[in-house]
Tab-separated table of all heavy atoms in Angstrom:
chain	number	residue	atom	x	y	z
A	1	MET	N	163.208	-33.391	168.166
A	1	MET	CA	162.965	-34.091	166.898
A	1	MET	C	162.212	-33.154	165.961
A	1	MET	O	161.217	-32.543	166.355
A	1	MET	CB	162.139	-35.352	167.169
A	1	MET	CG	162.036	-36.275	165.962
A	1	MET	SD	161.115	-37.766	166.389
A	1	MET	CE	160.834	-38.406	164.746
A	2	PRO	N	162.638	-33.008	164.695
A	2	PRO	CA	161.953	-32.077	163.779
A	2	PRO	C	160.570	-32.589	163.377
A	2	PRO	O	160.351	-33.791	163.253
A	2	PRO	CB	162.895	-32.010	162.573
A	2	PRO	CG	163.683	-33.261	162.629
A	2	PRO	CD	163.819	-33.622	164.078
A	3	VAL	N	159.658	-31.658	163.188
A	3	VAL	CA	158.279	-31.982	162.823
A	3	VAL	C	157.993	-31.336	161.461
A	3	VAL	O	158.337	-30.166	161.267
A	3	VAL	CB	157.293	-31.439	163.888
A	3	VAL	CG1	155.858	-31.731	163.492
A	3	VAL	CG2	157.603	-32.027	165.243
A	4	PRO	N	157.387	-32.062	160.534
A	4	PRO	CA	157.061	-31.450	159.234
A	4	PRO	C	156.027	-30.353	159.396
A	4	PRO	O	155.054	-30.494	160.159
A	4	PRO	CB	156.534	-32.611	158.404
A	4	PRO	CG	156.131	-33.648	159.380
A	4	PRO	CD	157.031	-33.491	160.560
A	5	ARG	N	156.226	-29.250	158.716
A	5	ARG	CA	155.311	-28.106	158.869
A	5	ARG	C	153.935	-28.429	158.304
A	5	ARG	O	152.919	-28.068	158.868
A	5	ARG	CB	155.893	-26.882	158.145
A	5	ARG	CG	156.998	-26.243	158.936
A	5	ARG	CD	157.385	-24.928	158.323
A	5	ARG	NE	158.425	-24.317	159.127
A	5	ARG	CZ	159.079	-23.216	158.790
A	5	ARG	NH1	158.816	-22.615	157.649
A	5	ARG	NH2	159.990	-22.723	159.567
A	6	ARG	N	153.870	-29.059	157.124
A	6	ARG	CA	152.585	-29.420	156.533
A	6	ARG	C	152.767	-30.710	155.734
A	6	ARG	O	153.836	-30.963	155.194
A	6	ARG	CB	152.047	-28.295	155.665
A	6	ARG	CG	153.004	-27.822	154.587
A	6	ARG	CD	152.641	-26.469	154.058
A	6	ARG	NE	151.211	-26.400	153.786
A	6	ARG	CZ	150.583	-25.268	153.529
A	6	ARG	NH1	151.256	-24.130	153.504
A	6	ARG	NH2	149.300	-25.253	153.296
A	7	ARG	N	151.721	-31.477	155.689
A	7	ARG	CA	151.814	-32.771	154.995
A	7	ARG	C	151.769	-32.573	153.484
A	7	ARG	O	152.569	-33.140	152.764
A	7	ARG	CB	150.673	-33.675	155.431
A	7	ARG	CG	150.821	-34.044	156.886
A	7	ARG	CD	149.686	-34.909	157.356
A	7	ARG	NE	149.858	-35.143	158.790
A	7	ARG	CZ	149.439	-36.227	159.413
A	7	ARG	NH1	148.820	-37.171	158.760
A	7	ARG	NH2	149.619	-36.381	160.694
A	8	HIS	N	150.806	-31.768	153.006
A	8	HIS	CA	150.694	-31.531	151.567
A	8	HIS	C	150.432	-30.051	151.346
A	8	HIS	O	149.884	-29.370	152.214
A	8	HIS	CB	149.542	-32.340	150.959
A	8	HIS	CG	149.722	-33.816	151.057
A	8	HIS	ND1	150.810	-34.479	150.537
A	8	HIS	CD2	148.951	-34.763	151.629
A	8	HIS	CE1	150.698	-35.779	150.793
A	8	HIS	NE2	149.572	-35.970	151.454
A	9	CYS	N	150.741	-29.581	150.149
A	9	CYS	CA	150.478	-28.190	149.805
A	9	CYS	C	148.981	-28.020	149.527
A	9	CYS	O	148.235	-28.987	149.381
A	9	CYS	CB	151.312	-27.753	148.606
A	9	CYS	SG	150.891	-28.614	147.092
A	10	SER	N	148.517	-26.761	149.436
A	10	SER	CA	147.079	-26.497	149.289
A	10	SER	C	146.539	-27.018	147.960
A	10	SER	O	145.397	-27.479	147.897
A	10	SER	CB	146.820	-25.005	149.414
A	10	SER	OG	147.519	-24.299	148.422
A	11	SER	N	147.327	-26.970	146.889
A	11	SER	CA	146.824	-27.452	145.604
A	11	SER	C	146.621	-28.973	145.636
A	11	SER	O	145.642	-29.482	145.078
A	11	SER	CB	147.785	-27.069	144.478
A	11	SER	OG	149.028	-27.697	144.654
A	12	ARG	N	147.510	-29.667	146.288
A	12	ARG	CA	147.356	-31.118	146.387
A	12	ARG	C	146.140	-31.478	147.242
A	12	ARG	O	145.392	-32.414	146.919
A	12	ARG	CB	148.624	-31.718	146.979
A	12	ARG	CG	148.585	-33.237	146.980
A	12	ARG	CD	149.926	-33.822	147.284
A	12	ARG	NE	149.785	-35.241	147.508
A	12	ARG	CZ	150.800	-36.084	147.622
A	12	ARG	NH1	152.033	-35.634	147.508
A	12	ARG	NH2	150.599	-37.351	147.826
A	13	ARG	N	145.897	-30.743	148.315
A	13	ARG	CA	144.716	-30.934	149.151
A	13	ARG	C	143.439	-30.672	148.343
A	13	ARG	O	142.477	-31.437	148.397
A	13	ARG	CB	144.787	-29.988	150.352
A	13	ARG	CG	143.607	-30.066	151.304
A	13	ARG	CD	143.440	-28.779	152.067
A	13	ARG	NE	143.166	-27.661	151.176
A	13	ARG	CZ	143.348	-26.378	151.475
A	13	ARG	NH1	143.845	-26.052	152.648
A	13	ARG	NH2	143.055	-25.424	150.630
A	14	ASP	N	143.425	-29.579	147.567
A	14	ASP	CA	142.231	-29.224	146.801
A	14	ASP	C	141.965	-30.220	145.679
A	14	ASP	O	140.812	-30.488	145.343
A	14	ASP	CB	142.384	-27.810	146.230
A	14	ASP	CG	142.400	-26.771	147.330
A	14	ASP	OD1	142.008	-27.101	148.469
A	14	ASP	OD2	142.807	-25.625	147.063
A	15	ARG	N	143.022	-30.754	145.068
A	15	ARG	CA	142.840	-31.789	144.045
A	15	ARG	C	142.174	-33.025	144.651
A	15	ARG	O	141.326	-33.653	144.021
A	15	ARG	CB	144.199	-32.186	143.455
A	15	ARG	CG	144.499	-31.513	142.134
A	15	ARG	CD	145.812	-32.004	141.565
A	15	ARG	NE	146.926	-31.405	142.262
A	15	ARG	CZ	148.101	-32.017	142.480
A	15	ARG	NH1	148.299	-33.246	142.067
A	15	ARG	NH2	149.063	-31.403	143.098
A	16	ARG	N	142.527	-33.383	145.852
A	16	ARG	CA	141.916	-34.535	146.512
A	16	ARG	C	140.440	-34.252	146.816
A	16	ARG	O	139.572	-35.097	146.604
A	16	ARG	CB	142.675	-34.841	147.795
A	16	ARG	CG	142.147	-36.072	148.536
A	16	ARG	CD	142.907	-36.314	149.819
A	16	ARG	NE	142.622	-35.304	150.810
A	16	ARG	CZ	143.547	-34.555	151.419
A	16	ARG	NH1	144.829	-34.687	151.099
A	16	ARG	NH2	143.217	-33.668	152.313
A	17	ARG	N	140.122	-33.058	147.289
A	17	ARG	CA	138.746	-32.727	147.675
A	17	ARG	C	137.840	-32.452	146.482
A	17	ARG	O	136.616	-32.449	146.634
A	17	ARG	CB	138.756	-31.493	148.581
A	17	ARG	CG	139.360	-31.806	149.938
A	17	ARG	CD	139.331	-30.607	150.828
A	17	ARG	NE	140.005	-30.874	152.095
A	17	ARG	CZ	140.181	-29.969	153.037
A	17	ARG	NH1	139.735	-28.735	152.862
A	17	ARG	NH2	140.793	-30.271	154.138
A	18	ALA	N	138.399	-32.204	145.318
A	18	ALA	CA	137.584	-31.879	144.148
A	18	ALA	C	136.652	-33.030	143.786
A	18	ALA	O	135.556	-32.821	143.264
A	18	ALA	CB	138.476	-31.538	142.963
A	19	HIS	N	137.031	-34.268	144.087
A	19	HIS	CA	136.224	-35.419	143.691
A	19	HIS	C	135.011	-35.609	144.597
A	19	HIS	O	134.009	-36.178	144.165
A	19	HIS	CB	137.079	-36.674	143.688
A	19	HIS	CG	138.109	-36.671	142.616
A	19	HIS	ND1	137.831	-37.036	141.316
A	19	HIS	CD2	139.401	-36.290	142.624
A	19	HIS	CE1	138.926	-36.906	140.588
A	19	HIS	NE2	139.892	-36.445	141.354
A	20	THR	N	135.071	-35.165	145.836
A	20	THR	CA	133.954	-35.379	146.737
A	20	THR	C	132.720	-34.612	146.277
A	20	THR	O	131.600	-35.095	146.378
A	20	THR	CB	134.312	-34.960	148.170
A	20	THR	OG1	134.649	-33.590	148.161
A	20	THR	CG2	135.486	-35.763	148.691
A	21	LYS	N	132.913	-33.410	145.758
A	21	LYS	CA	131.783	-32.617	145.271
A	21	LYS	C	131.194	-33.251	144.017
A	21	LYS	O	129.982	-33.238	143.826
A	21	LYS	CB	132.233	-31.192	144.961
A	21	LYS	CG	132.670	-30.423	146.181
A	21	LYS	CD	131.499	-29.853	146.932
A	21	LYS	CE	131.968	-29.079	148.138
A	21	LYS	NZ	130.895	-28.483	148.889
A	22	LEU	N	132.022	-33.795	143.143
A	22	LEU	CA	131.535	-34.401	141.913
A	22	LEU	C	130.652	-35.604	142.229
A	22	LEU	O	129.624	-35.805	141.598
A	22	LEU	CB	132.712	-34.845	141.034
A	22	LEU	CG	133.523	-33.742	140.375
A	22	LEU	CD1	134.711	-34.345	139.652
A	22	LEU	CD2	132.677	-32.949	139.404
A	23	GLU	N	131.021	-36.394	143.227
A	23	GLU	CA	130.235	-37.563	143.562
A	23	GLU	C	128.898	-37.173	144.189
A	23	GLU	O	127.906	-37.866	144.015
A	23	GLU	CB	131.023	-38.460	144.520
A	23	GLU	CG	132.092	-39.249	143.788
A	23	GLU	CD	133.193	-39.733	144.705
A	23	GLU	OE1	133.004	-39.728	145.927
A	23	GLU	OE2	134.245	-40.106	144.182
A	24	ALA	N	128.833	-36.051	144.894
A	24	ALA	CA	127.564	-35.589	145.465
A	24	ALA	C	126.589	-35.201	144.356
A	24	ALA	O	125.400	-35.477	144.439
A	24	ALA	CB	127.814	-34.417	146.396
A	25	VAL	N	127.076	-34.582	143.292
A	25	VAL	CA	126.220	-34.182	142.182
A	25	VAL	C	125.756	-35.405	141.404
A	25	VAL	O	124.649	-35.448	140.889
A	25	VAL	CB	126.975	-33.181	141.274
A	25	VAL	CG1	126.192	-32.884	140.008
A	25	VAL	CG2	127.240	-31.896	142.039
A	26	ALA	N	126.579	-36.451	141.335
A	26	ALA	CA	126.231	-37.643	140.567
A	26	ALA	C	125.048	-38.387	141.172
A	26	ALA	O	124.441	-39.203	140.507
A	26	ALA	CB	127.443	-38.560	140.484
A	27	GLY	N	124.660	-38.126	142.440
A	27	GLY	CA	123.518	-38.770	143.054
A	27	GLY	C	122.194	-38.129	142.702
A	27	GLY	O	121.195	-38.428	143.320
A	28	ILE	N	122.178	-37.220	141.741
A	28	ILE	CA	120.949	-36.556	141.314
A	28	ILE	C	120.714	-36.893	139.851
A	28	ILE	O	121.605	-36.730	139.035
A	28	ILE	CB	121.050	-35.028	141.518
A	28	ILE	CG1	121.215	-34.726	143.005
A	28	ILE	CG2	119.814	-34.336	140.962
A	28	ILE	CD1	121.515	-33.281	143.291
A	29	VAL	N	119.511	-37.389	139.542
A	29	VAL	CA	119.177	-37.726	138.155
A	29	VAL	C	118.038	-36.823	137.694
A	29	VAL	O	117.371	-36.169	138.499
A	29	VAL	CB	118.778	-39.212	138.012
A	29	VAL	CG1	119.958	-40.115	138.349
A	29	VAL	CG2	117.590	-39.539	138.869
A	30	GLU	N	117.802	-36.826	136.393
A	30	GLU	CA	116.774	-35.971	135.812
A	30	GLU	C	115.492	-36.778	135.642
A	30	GLU	O	115.519	-37.920	135.197
A	30	GLU	CB	117.278	-35.473	134.451
A	30	GLU	CG	116.606	-34.200	133.991
A	30	GLU	CD	117.267	-33.658	132.745
A	30	GLU	OE1	117.081	-34.272	131.680
A	30	GLU	OE2	117.961	-32.641	132.831
A	31	CYS	N	114.347	-36.174	136.013
A	31	CYS	CA	113.049	-36.837	135.841
A	31	CYS	C	112.756	-37.004	134.354
A	31	CYS	O	112.864	-36.042	133.604
A	31	CYS	CB	111.960	-36.000	136.517
A	31	CYS	SG	110.306	-36.653	136.281
A	32	PRO	N	112.375	-38.207	133.908
A	32	PRO	CA	112.098	-38.388	132.475
A	32	PRO	C	110.819	-37.692	132.017
A	32	PRO	O	110.637	-37.458	130.823
A	32	PRO	CB	111.982	-39.911	132.333
A	32	PRO	CG	111.638	-40.397	133.699
A	32	PRO	CD	112.290	-39.450	134.660
A	33	LYS	N	109.925	-37.361	132.953
A	33	LYS	CA	108.656	-36.727	132.569
A	33	LYS	C	108.767	-35.204	132.531
A	33	LYS	O	108.378	-34.579	131.549
A	33	LYS	CB	107.575	-37.148	133.562
A	33	LYS	CG	106.161	-36.784	133.121
A	33	LYS	CD	105.167	-37.154	134.197
A	33	LYS	CE	103.772	-36.687	133.828
A	33	LYS	NZ	102.834	-36.891	134.937
A	34	CYS	N	109.275	-34.614	133.627
A	34	CYS	CA	109.291	-33.155	133.703
A	34	CYS	C	110.710	-32.587	133.730
A	34	CYS	O	110.869	-31.373	133.792
A	34	CYS	CB	108.531	-32.687	134.936
A	34	CYS	SG	109.334	-33.086	136.486
A	35	ALA	N	111.726	-33.443	133.684
A	35	ALA	CA	113.134	-33.021	133.610
A	35	ALA	C	113.585	-32.261	134.847
A	35	ALA	O	114.581	-31.565	134.805
A	35	ALA	CB	113.400	-32.198	132.353
A	36	ALA	N	112.875	-32.418	135.963
A	36	ALA	CA	113.312	-31.781	137.207
A	36	ALA	C	114.352	-32.662	137.883
A	36	ALA	O	114.313	-33.885	137.732
A	36	ALA	CB	112.111	-31.590	138.130
A	37	PRO	N	115.276	-32.090	138.643
A	37	PRO	CA	116.260	-32.923	139.351
A	37	PRO	C	115.607	-33.686	140.489
A	37	PRO	O	114.809	-33.145	141.243
A	37	PRO	CB	117.279	-31.901	139.869
A	37	PRO	CG	116.535	-30.624	139.936
A	37	PRO	CD	115.521	-30.663	138.832
A	38	ARG	N	115.925	-34.968	140.568
A	38	ARG	CA	115.374	-35.792	141.652
A	38	ARG	C	116.415	-36.822	142.067
A	38	ARG	O	117.390	-37.057	141.360
A	38	ARG	CB	114.083	-36.474	141.217
A	38	ARG	CG	114.269	-37.518	140.125
A	38	ARG	CD	112.995	-38.315	139.938
A	38	ARG	NE	113.122	-39.259	138.845
A	38	ARG	CZ	113.673	-40.473	138.956
A	38	ARG	NH1	114.146	-40.872	140.104
A	38	ARG	NH2	113.756	-41.286	137.922
A	39	LEU	N	116.174	-37.460	143.221
A	39	LEU	CA	117.077	-38.504	143.682
A	39	LEU	C	116.760	-39.799	142.952
A	39	LEU	O	115.594	-40.063	142.639
A	39	LEU	CB	116.898	-38.707	145.197
A	39	LEU	CG	117.325	-37.541	146.084
A	39	LEU	CD1	116.868	-37.795	147.506
A	39	LEU	CD2	118.809	-37.333	146.035
A	40	PRO	N	117.747	-40.646	142.685
A	40	PRO	CA	117.480	-41.915	142.024
A	40	PRO	C	116.661	-42.848	142.907
A	40	PRO	O	116.812	-42.867	144.124
A	40	PRO	CB	118.882	-42.483	141.755
A	40	PRO	CG	119.766	-41.790	142.700
A	40	PRO	CD	119.187	-40.439	142.932
A	41	HIS	N	115.743	-43.609	142.298
A	41	HIS	CA	114.857	-44.561	142.977
A	41	HIS	C	113.916	-43.854	143.955
A	41	HIS	O	113.511	-44.437	144.965
A	41	HIS	CB	115.656	-45.651	143.711
A	41	HIS	CG	116.632	-46.360	142.815
A	41	HIS	ND1	116.259	-47.262	141.870
A	41	HIS	CD2	117.978	-46.243	142.714
A	41	HIS	CE1	117.331	-47.705	141.236
A	41	HIS	NE2	118.386	-47.088	141.718
A	42	ARG	N	113.569	-42.602	143.646
A	42	ARG	CA	112.616	-41.857	144.467
A	42	ARG	C	111.604	-41.196	143.529
A	42	ARG	O	111.918	-40.896	142.386
A	42	ARG	CB	113.304	-40.753	145.277
A	42	ARG	CG	114.336	-41.243	146.270
A	42	ARG	CD	113.664	-41.942	147.445
A	42	ARG	NE	114.644	-42.292	148.458
A	42	ARG	CZ	115.389	-43.385	148.425
A	42	ARG	NH1	115.303	-44.228	147.421
A	42	ARG	NH2	116.250	-43.625	149.396
A	43	ALA	N	110.385	-40.961	144.049
A	43	ALA	CA	109.386	-40.244	143.274
A	43	ALA	C	109.835	-38.802	143.065
A	43	ALA	O	110.499	-38.210	143.912
A	43	ALA	CB	108.048	-40.273	144.006
A	44	CYS	N	109.460	-38.257	141.913
A	44	CYS	CA	109.897	-36.905	141.568
A	44	CYS	C	109.211	-35.893	142.489
A	44	CYS	O	108.002	-35.967	142.689
A	44	CYS	CB	109.537	-36.639	140.111
A	44	CYS	SG	109.875	-34.965	139.593
A	45	PRO	N	109.934	-34.948	143.077
A	45	PRO	CA	109.291	-33.948	143.941
A	45	PRO	C	108.427	-32.957	143.176
A	45	PRO	O	107.537	-32.346	143.762
A	45	PRO	CB	110.475	-33.251	144.626
A	45	PRO	CG	111.617	-33.453	143.695
A	45	PRO	CD	111.390	-34.776	143.028
A	46	ALA	N	108.656	-32.806	141.881
A	46	ALA	CA	107.915	-31.809	141.098
A	46	ALA	C	106.607	-32.383	140.571
A	46	ALA	O	105.553	-31.742	140.662
A	46	ALA	CB	108.784	-31.305	139.951
A	47	CYS	N	106.610	-33.613	140.016
A	47	CYS	CA	105.397	-34.186	139.416
A	47	CYS	C	104.937	-35.450	140.140
A	47	CYS	O	103.845	-35.939	139.863
A	47	CYS	CB	105.623	-34.474	137.934
A	47	CYS	SG	106.843	-35.745	137.587
A	48	GLY	N	105.716	-35.998	141.073
A	48	GLY	CA	105.302	-37.150	141.863
A	48	GLY	C	105.329	-38.463	141.124
A	48	GLY	O	104.784	-39.447	141.604
A	49	GLU	N	105.953	-38.520	139.958
A	49	GLU	CA	105.954	-39.743	139.171
A	49	GLU	C	107.214	-40.552	139.410
A	49	GLU	O	108.290	-40.005	139.577
A	49	GLU	CB	105.852	-39.405	137.678
A	49	GLU	CG	105.547	-40.631	136.844
A	49	GLU	CD	105.574	-40.332	135.352
A	49	GLU	OE1	106.673	-40.314	134.778
A	49	GLU	OE2	104.508	-40.105	134.784
A	50	TYR	N	107.049	-41.871	139.429
A	50	TYR	CA	108.204	-42.768	139.472
A	50	TYR	C	107.856	-44.028	138.707
A	50	TYR	O	106.806	-44.642	138.949
A	50	TYR	CB	108.599	-43.109	140.909
A	50	TYR	CG	109.776	-44.043	140.968
A	50	TYR	CD1	111.041	-43.617	140.568
A	50	TYR	CD2	109.626	-45.364	141.375
A	50	TYR	CE1	112.121	-44.466	140.596
A	50	TYR	CE2	110.711	-46.218	141.408
A	50	TYR	CZ	111.955	-45.767	141.018
A	50	TYR	OH	113.028	-46.618	141.038
A	51	ASN	N	108.691	-44.405	137.781
A	51	ASN	CA	108.533	-45.624	136.979
A	51	ASN	C	107.191	-45.641	136.242
A	51	ASN	O	106.520	-46.664	136.166
A	51	ASN	CB	108.687	-46.858	137.873
A	51	ASN	CG	109.084	-48.092	137.069
A	51	ASN	OD1	109.542	-47.973	135.933
A	51	ASN	ND2	108.904	-49.263	137.645
A	52	GLY	N	106.753	-44.492	135.738
A	52	GLY	CA	105.536	-44.420	134.943
A	52	GLY	C	104.259	-44.321	135.747
A	52	GLY	O	103.179	-44.299	135.182
A	53	ARG	N	104.331	-44.306	137.057
A	53	ARG	CA	103.138	-44.197	137.888
A	53	ARG	C	103.286	-43.009	138.818
A	53	ARG	O	104.392	-42.670	139.230
A	53	ARG	CB	102.948	-45.466	138.731
A	53	ARG	CG	102.519	-46.675	137.921
A	53	ARG	CD	102.480	-47.918	138.787
A	53	ARG	NE	101.569	-47.772	139.929
A	53	ARG	CZ	101.450	-48.691	140.890
A	53	ARG	NH1	102.169	-49.781	140.858
A	53	ARG	NH2	100.611	-48.498	141.886
A	54	ILE	N	102.152	-42.430	139.222
A	54	ILE	CA	102.174	-41.300	140.148
A	54	ILE	C	102.019	-41.850	141.556
A	54	ILE	O	101.009	-42.485	141.889
A	54	ILE	CB	101.076	-40.276	139.804
A	54	ILE	CG1	101.409	-39.593	138.471
A	54	ILE	CG2	100.960	-39.236	140.907
A	54	ILE	CD1	100.343	-38.686	137.948
A	55	TYR	N	103.035	-41.672	142.361
A	55	TYR	CA	103.054	-42.181	143.726
A	55	TYR	C	102.796	-41.093	144.751
A	55	TYR	O	102.528	-41.373	145.899
A	55	TYR	CB	104.415	-42.828	144.024
A	55	TYR	CG	104.581	-44.157	143.360
A	55	TYR	CD1	105.098	-44.246	142.078
A	55	TYR	CD2	104.201	-45.322	144.000
A	55	TYR	CE1	105.244	-45.476	141.456
A	55	TYR	CE2	104.341	-46.545	143.394
A	55	TYR	CZ	104.863	-46.619	142.115
A	55	TYR	OH	104.993	-47.823	141.509
A	56	LYS	N	102.955	-39.854	144.341
A	56	LYS	CA	102.906	-38.756	145.298
A	56	LYS	C	102.025	-37.656	144.726
A	56	LYS	O	102.196	-37.264	143.576
A	56	LYS	CB	104.326	-38.237	145.517
A	56	LYS	CG	104.520	-37.391	146.735
A	56	LYS	CD	106.017	-37.177	146.952
A	56	LYS	CE	106.349	-35.719	146.976
A	56	LYS	NZ	107.783	-35.479	147.069
A	57	ARG	N	101.046	-37.229	145.515
A	57	ARG	CA	100.171	-36.145	145.061
A	57	ARG	C	100.904	-34.820	145.182
A	57	ARG	O	101.373	-34.470	146.256
A	57	ARG	CB	98.892	-36.115	145.901
A	57	ARG	CG	98.014	-37.315	145.684
A	57	ARG	CD	97.129	-37.130	144.468
A	57	ARG	NE	96.379	-38.344	144.169
A	57	ARG	CZ	95.441	-38.402	143.236
A	57	ARG	NH1	95.153	-37.342	142.525
A	57	ARG	NH2	94.805	-39.517	143.002
A	58	VAL	N	100.968	-34.126	144.081
A	58	VAL	CA	101.609	-32.814	144.068
A	58	VAL	C	100.549	-31.787	143.723
A	58	VAL	O	99.600	-32.061	142.986
A	58	VAL	CB	102.772	-32.788	143.048
A	58	VAL	CG1	103.488	-31.443	143.053
A	58	VAL	CG2	103.753	-33.895	143.350
A	59	LYS	N	100.678	-30.592	144.332
A	59	LYS	CA	99.687	-29.542	144.160
A	59	LYS	C	99.447	-29.189	142.694
A	59	LYS	O	98.315	-29.024	142.244
A	59	LYS	CB	100.145	-28.298	144.913
A	59	LYS	CG	99.030	-27.301	145.193
A	59	LYS	CD	99.555	-26.163	146.031
A	59	LYS	CE	98.435	-25.180	146.350
A	59	LYS	NZ	98.931	-24.020	147.105
A	60	ALA	N	100.512	-29.138	141.901
A	60	ALA	CA	100.388	-28.758	140.488
A	60	ALA	C	99.590	-29.816	139.718
A	60	ALA	O	98.811	-29.485	138.822
A	60	ALA	CB	101.778	-28.575	139.874
A	61	VAL	N	99.747	-31.108	140.072
A	61	VAL	CA	99.033	-32.169	139.378
A	61	VAL	C	97.547	-32.093	139.711
A	61	VAL	O	96.691	-32.298	138.865
A	61	VAL	CB	99.627	-33.539	139.772
A	61	VAL	CG1	98.844	-34.665	139.156
A	61	VAL	CG2	101.083	-33.625	139.346
A	62	LYS	N	97.200	-31.783	140.987
A	62	LYS	CA	95.799	-31.665	141.381
A	62	LYS	C	95.099	-30.543	140.628
A	62	LYS	O	93.987	-30.707	140.145
A	62	LYS	CB	95.705	-31.371	142.889
A	62	LYS	CG	95.830	-32.610	143.750
A	62	LYS	CD	95.642	-32.228	145.209
A	62	LYS	CE	95.704	-33.435	146.121
A	62	LYS	NZ	95.613	-33.035	147.525
A	63	GLU	N	95.762	-29.416	140.494
A	63	GLU	CA	95.168	-28.271	139.791
A	63	GLU	C	94.973	-28.585	138.312
A	63	GLU	O	94.010	-28.149	137.693
A	63	GLU	CB	96.067	-27.047	139.957
A	63	GLU	CG	95.985	-26.474	141.373
A	63	GLU	CD	97.025	-25.396	141.605
A	63	GLU	OE1	97.853	-25.155	140.716
A	63	GLU	OE2	97.000	-24.800	142.705
A	64	ALA	N	95.841	-29.378	137.720
A	64	ALA	CA	95.739	-29.705	136.310
A	64	ALA	C	94.545	-30.627	136.049
A	64	ALA	O	93.907	-30.540	135.004
A	64	ALA	CB	97.027	-30.371	135.832
A	65	LYS	N	94.180	-31.488	137.029
A	65	LYS	CA	93.062	-32.418	136.828
A	65	LYS	C	91.713	-31.723	136.943
A	65	LYS	O	90.742	-32.120	136.327
A	65	LYS	CB	93.154	-33.531	137.883
A	65	LYS	CG	94.182	-34.603	137.519
A	65	LYS	CD	94.176	-35.714	138.537
A	65	LYS	CE	95.161	-36.807	138.115
A	65	LYS	NZ	95.198	-37.884	139.112
A	66	GLN	N	91.630	-30.664	137.761
A	66	GLN	CA	90.345	-29.997	137.977
A	66	GLN	C	89.944	-29.127	136.797
A	66	GLN	O	90.724	-28.782	135.976
A	66	GLN	CB	90.433	-29.122	139.224
A	66	GLN	CG	90.442	-29.979	140.483
A	66	GLN	CD	90.761	-29.168	141.747
A	66	GLN	OE1	91.050	-27.972	141.645
A	66	GLN	NE2	90.718	-29.793	142.880
B	1	ZN	ZN1	108.964	-35.097	137.412
């Protein structure tokens, strides 16, 4: 019984996979305070702020207060 050599060509495969990378980037938002990339609904790793409050102590923030 004959067997197909390949299901789809490489361009068709790459067109399908192109969307997976785009969705991974869409899960990153910009911090409104310092414009650093952060995950949505998480405190910012750069300034520790989320929803107008500081939830996480960051070294740079401590040095600025002293
Ligand atoms: Zn920030």
